[in-house]
Amino acid sequence: MSYPYQIKSYDEYKEVYKKSIQDPEGFWGDIAKNFAWRKKWDKVLEWNFSEPNVKWFQGGKLNITENCLDRHLEKLGDKPAIIWEPNNPEDHSRTITYKQLYNKVCQFANVLKNNGVKKGDRVCIYMGMIPELAIAVLACARIGAIHSVIFGGFSAQSIADRLQDAKAEFIVTCDGAFRGAKDIPLKSVIDDALIACPFVKKVIVYTRTRTPISMIKGRDVWWEDEILKVESQGDQTCDAEEMDAEDMLFILYTSGSTGKPKGVVHTCAGYMIYTTYTFVNVFQYKPGEIHFCTADIGWITGHSYIVYGPLSAGATSLMFEGIPTWPDAGRFWDIVDKFRVNILYTAPTAIRSLMGFGLDPLKGKNLSSLRVLGTVGEPINEEAWHWYDEHIGKKKCPIVDTWWQTETGGTMISNLAGITPAKPSFATLPMPGVEPIFVDENGKEIEGNSVGGNLCIKQPWPSIIRTTYGDHERCRTNYFATYPNLYFTGDGALRDENGFYRITGRVDDVLNVSGHRIGTAEVENAINMHSGVVESAVVGYPHDIKGQGIYAYVIYTGHHSDDDLARKDISATVARIIGPIARPDKIQFVKGLPKTRSGKIMRRILRKIAEGELKNLGDTTTLLDPGVVEEIKGGKL
Ligand code: PRX
């Protein structure tokens, strides 16, 4: 496969960027010609940010899986599409060629059809990181069903909330998942979720851990049995459903500043074109290279840069089931060595955690195949950046620091590996088609360089969020209403003297814990569900490995006098309501919370105390009861 749109020099980037902003329709229309369409579009772009209403490639017809699979069969059919490394290094890895992946996707698409799944139906996928997860995702896309992948770290309650919101009648899961030394009982979590979701018609279960599970007649079926049925039916191909460019491709739930996660909706054509374009340009992918993105497909990074972007580009995508520290902290390096990985794309939290193990885990590992390194998910501190550069890239591999979001679908601000300059802790320059702008609290533009502000985007790019599932108004108020006619990212950023961007973090009540987005309101709601809790306030604080930790101030009147046990109860409540990923790192019991006279919690003060900054708390005179601040300052954890 060749990529005529791959940018080859800094000068070319500047030229392409200029054109993309002046004439987005001409620019993206040219790129779209490199994809397989059933019918060409009538109009490249129509948009307004006031509703919002954004439509790319209207009138175009396609199926994303024909782009990810069918079009590669002739030339790349025998090349690996997915290489899979299991959790346990003693187990066999798997290599799935494009031809094999095509066959498996068609087969499973037929399984979905046999089980009553139709175009437009929502299918929830709750699986570990095995190739069947990618197969299930693509099989949904093949028949026009809308997938909604849920990360394995979410609880039954979170799954139930999402199933209800998406009105998903179908589930694909596994008996269990292996992650490091743990077995996660996925099917049993699904069973708990389904108590509150009687509308779910079918649960298809893939065997991975062979954990005993319940299988309910009429509702639960085994993946393997269903495949046998398809095999006995003879023809195993599955014609791809013809989709409109703007038909929904998937829903992915993410946290915002309100208590309820939102279902971010992406559509077929724009998402495909933007993820492919950014994959090819940011990583400067060369045909034949092995791309290892360590994210989970439960998050947007996995959707865009394990599944859709790489496969549409005909690349080889390496999927890893386990975690970086099991059986030891050399696991990533073993994988790089074993498969001669060329591109490694991971999160700052993983780098910081591995840094903590020193250089021993690197001994004897051949990392010379690496050509490009990438990071995503949170700001990378300079120390971690330099460690990555020196010890992993051996100062020969450009590091791309990619800033983007679930809502943006693909990378928005990043250097292009080896083409545009890198700068430690800076995402650097916008991708073609992306026009960042800073505004102050009043929405006034902050112009020029060496400035900071709230980061907004001026015009749509092809994979911009289209709506929040079932509630378009929520999409408008969340992203398009804070500053009229701009998409507001929720992030703060700086622009240096050369116009390079540095993302400084969220300016709303959203935390970024180990690269996972968690809303403070969500955690508070969960804590408040504990029977002994009167009220709580949650803030983030700097955490050496996780980037941000979760700090909860809790008014507690439970009868347990043992504070430690009470903290564990509260933590267990959060794990039950949201999932283990949202467990607070610190819980401080307090008698009151600092509130203004209108009843608003002054988080600024709580944040400072959580950071250990007990002086300079700023103006506390507007507080209803300034005395609570002293009590909190003197409190114990
Ligand atoms: O705060 C930014 C941070 O992660 C947020 C988006 O989270 P999520 O939707 O879960 O997507 C993560 C993976 C794309 C952003 O609002 N973030 C993401 N990448 C970076 C980042 N912060 C700084 N630098 C980055 N490279």
Side-chain angles (χ1 to χ4, degrees):
M1 199 131 176
S2 67
Y3 313 115
Y5 48 84
Q6 194 169 50
I7 295 167
K8 284 287 158 221
S9 69
Y10 194 11
D11 281 342
E12 189 188 345
Y13 162 80
K14 289 179 194 160
E15 216 174 281
V16 165
Y17 183 78
K18 206 160 133 197
K19 172 169 186 226
S20 74
I21 299 302
Q22 283 166 353
D23 177 18
E25 291 202 53
F27 176 74
W28 290 111
D30 276 350
I31 290 164
K33 289 178 192 150
N34 295 286
F35 293 79
W37 296 85
R38 293 266 185 102
K39 176 184 168 286
K40 200 184 165 205
W41 57 92
D42 303 318
K43 179 141 184 49
V44 174
L45 173 64
E46 207 174 270
W47 69 287
N48 71 68
F49 275 173
S50 50
E51 293 177 59
N53 181 13
V54 179
K55 291 200 161 72
W56 282 93
F57 308 106
Q58 262 190 97
K61 305 267 187 202
L62 77 162
N63 185 291
I64 195 167
T65 68
E66 288 187 333
N67 283 274
C68 290
L69 301 168
D70 307 45
R71 70 165 165 161
H72 301 318
L73 293 181
E74 199 186 322
K75 290 200 177 125
L76 301 174
D78 296 321
K79 294 266 184 289
I82 294 178
I83 296 176
W84 176 74
E85 169 72 3
N87 181 58
N88 187 336
E90 314 265 293
D91 291 347
H92 288 295
S93 56
R94 290 165 65 184
T95 297
I96 301 174
T97 64
Y98 271 96
K99 233 185 242 159
Q100 290 165 336
L101 185 60
Y102 166 82
N103 289 334
K104 284 176 186 293
V105 168
C106 285
Q107 264 191 336
F108 193 65
N110 286 326
V111 167
L112 292 173
K113 280 192 188 168
N114 282 348
N115 280 279
V117 183
K118 293 182 302 300
K119 179 176 182 176
D121 286 344
R122 276 79 53 221
V123 178
C124 158
I125 303 178
Y126 185 66
M127 299 172 91
M129 281 288 286
I130 53 175
E132 283 65 25
L133 166 51
I135 291 165
V137 160
L138 292 164
C140 286
R142 185 96 184 155
I143 64 167
I146 299 162
H147 58 77
S148 180
V149 185
I150 301 180
F151 176 62
F154 281 113
S155 69
Q157 178 69 52
S158 292
I159 296 168
D161 290 346
R162 286 158 172 76
L163 289 172
Q164 285 161 1
D165 190 78
K167 298 181 188 69
E169 294 174 332
F170 303 93
I171 296 178
V172 186
T173 188
C174 300
D175 47 357
F178 295 122
R179 261 177 81 78
K182 284 193 211 142
D183 290 3
I184 301 165
L186 297 179
K187 173 62 165 60
S188 141
V189 177
I190 289 288
D191 287 339
D192 288 346
L194 292 196
I195 295 168
C197 304
F199 51 84
V200 169
K201 292 183 185 152
K202 277 279 152 75
V203 182
I204 303 174
V205 187
Y206 181 80
T207 313
R208 173 62 188 130
T209 54
R210 203 52 197 100
T211 324
I213 55 170
S214 75
M215 290 293 283
I216 305 293
K217 193 180 289 168
R219 190 194 70 186
D220 301 349
V221 295
W222 292 104
W223 173 301
E224 296 79 3
D225 288 348
E226 297 302 298
I227 293 284
L228 287 178
K229 279 189 207 157
V230 169
E231 278 172 355
S232 69
Q233 284 164 357
D235 182 16
Q236 288 171 55
T237 57
C238 174
D239 286 343
E241 189 72 36
E242 187 167 282
M243 305 293 284
D244 280 337
E246 280 296 336
D247 276 343
M248 266 186 218
L249 175 63
F250 66 85
I251 306 169
L252 184 57
Y253 284 86
T254 190
S255 296
S257 43
T258 59
K260 201 173 150 244
K262 332 174 252 265
V264 172
V265 169
H266 284 289
T267 57
C268 294
Y271 176 81
M272 168 184 80
I273 288 165
Y274 195 76
T275 52
T276 313
Y277 180 81
T278 48
F279 171 74
V280 163
N281 275 298
V282 169
F283 302 108
Q284 289 288 303
Y285 185 79
K286 295 196 187 100
E289 285 189 327
I290 296 179
H291 171 77
F292 176 19
C293 167
T294 71
D296 191 290
I297 297 178
W299 308 109
I300 191 69
T301 308
H303 282 63
S304 302
Y305 299 116
I306 295 178
V307 183
Y308 288 114
L311 295 181
S312 158
T316 299
S317 187
L318 196 152
M319 243 179 115
F320 172 42
E321 185 180 32
I323 57 170
T325 48
W326 194 84
D328 59 52
R331 192 67 198 279
F332 276 2
W333 324 129
D334 284 328
I335 296 174
V336 170
D337 193 346
K338 177 172 171 187
F339 297 102
R340 311 301 297 141
V341 168
N342 305 106
I343 304 168
L344 174 67
Y345 188 33
T346 193
T349 186
I351 300 169
R352 286 192 299 264
S353 143
L354 295 174
M355 227 168 96
F357 289 88
L359 298 178
D360 269 2
L362 284 159
K363 281 203 184 119
K365 313 287 159 75
N366 182 352
L367 306 184
S368 62
S369 57
L370 286 173
R371 188 181 60 80
V372 173
L373 303 177
T375 85
V376 59
E378 49 176 317
I380 180 162
N381 48 313
E382 289 205 29
E383 195 193 355
W385 195 98
H386 286 295
W387 188 87
Y388 201 28
D389 182 36
E390 207 168 298
H391 300 293
I392 308 306
K394 317 285 182 200
K395 296 209 167 219
K396 286 194 306 236
C397 303
I399 298 177
V400 289
D401 178 351
T402 64
W403 171 81
W404 56 294
Q405 309 177 299
T406 306
E407 295 86 345
T408 71
T411 294
M412 299 290 281
I413 303 183
S414 172
N415 48 318
L416 311 181
I419 300 292
T420 64
K423 180 171 176 182
S425 82
F426 279 71
T428 72
L429 294 170
M431 293 301 297
V434 173
E435 199 175 3
I437 162 174
F438 284 172
V439 293
D440 65 17
E441 283 89 85
N442 305 316
K444 195 169 164 308
E445 178 167 0
I446 302 169
E447 287 174 283
N449 286 343
S450 305
V451 290
N454 295 327
L455 177 61
C456 295
I457 313 288
K458 237 175 164 167
Q459 52 173 317
W461 60 98
S463 62
I464 186 174
I465 178 176
R466 298 303 198 271
T467 189
T468 43
Y469 190 78
D471 189 352
H472 192 63
E473 177 57 13
R474 194 150 177 232
C475 173
R476 190 187 70 80
T477 48
N478 259 291
Y479 307 105
F480 299 93
T482 319
Y483 306 113
N485 293 319
L486 296 175
Y487 166 81
F488 178 41
T489 64
D491 278 317
L494 303 171
R495 191 160 49 211
D496 77 0
E497 63 286 3
N498 298 314
F500 284 20
Y501 290 86
R502 174 188 198 154
I503 313 301
T504 47
R506 303 287 306 194
V507 293
D508 52 10
D509 291 323
V510 172
L511 306 180
N512 195 327
V513 181
S514 298
H516 300 155
R517 240 168 100 169
I518 299 171
T520 53
E522 248 177 286
V523 184
E524 286 165 7
N525 288 348
I527 293 175
N528 296 349
M529 284 177 81
H530 183 282
S531 60
V533 170
V534 178
E535 201 181 1
S536 64
V538 165
V539 296
Y541 72 97
H543 187 289
D544 282 350
I545 291 176
K546 297 180 172 184
Q548 265 188 316
I550 301 178
Y551 196 119
Y553 298 89
V554 177
I555 306 177
Y556 177 76
T557 58
H559 68 272
H560 273 297
S561 53
D562 181 331
D563 277 3
D564 260 352
L565 258 182
R567 283 194 187 94
K568 283 183 185 148
D569 289 345
I570 290 170
S571 177
T573 309
V574 174
R576 170 75 57 190
I577 302 298
I578 305 177
I581 54 169
R583 280 183 196 272
D585 297 277
K586 294 184 180 177
I587 297 176
Q588 180 179 345
F589 292 124
V590 296
K591 292 208 174 71
L593 293 167
K595 288 191 179 169
T596 61
R597 289 191 178 88
S598 59
K600 224 177 139 227
I601 296 172
M602 293 267 274
R603 286 164 194 284
R604 173 178 57 79
I605 294 174
L606 294 176
R607 243 179 256 130
K608 285 211 162 162
I609 298 174
E611 284 164 14
E613 214 187 291
L614 301 184
K615 290 181 197 144
N616 306 323
L617 289 182
D619 184 12
T620 56
T621 53
T622 55
L623 288 179
L624 193 60
D625 174 10
V628 297
V629 175
E630 289 312 309
E631 191 257 334
I632 294 174
K633 270 164 60 177
K636 283 203 313 278
L637 283 173

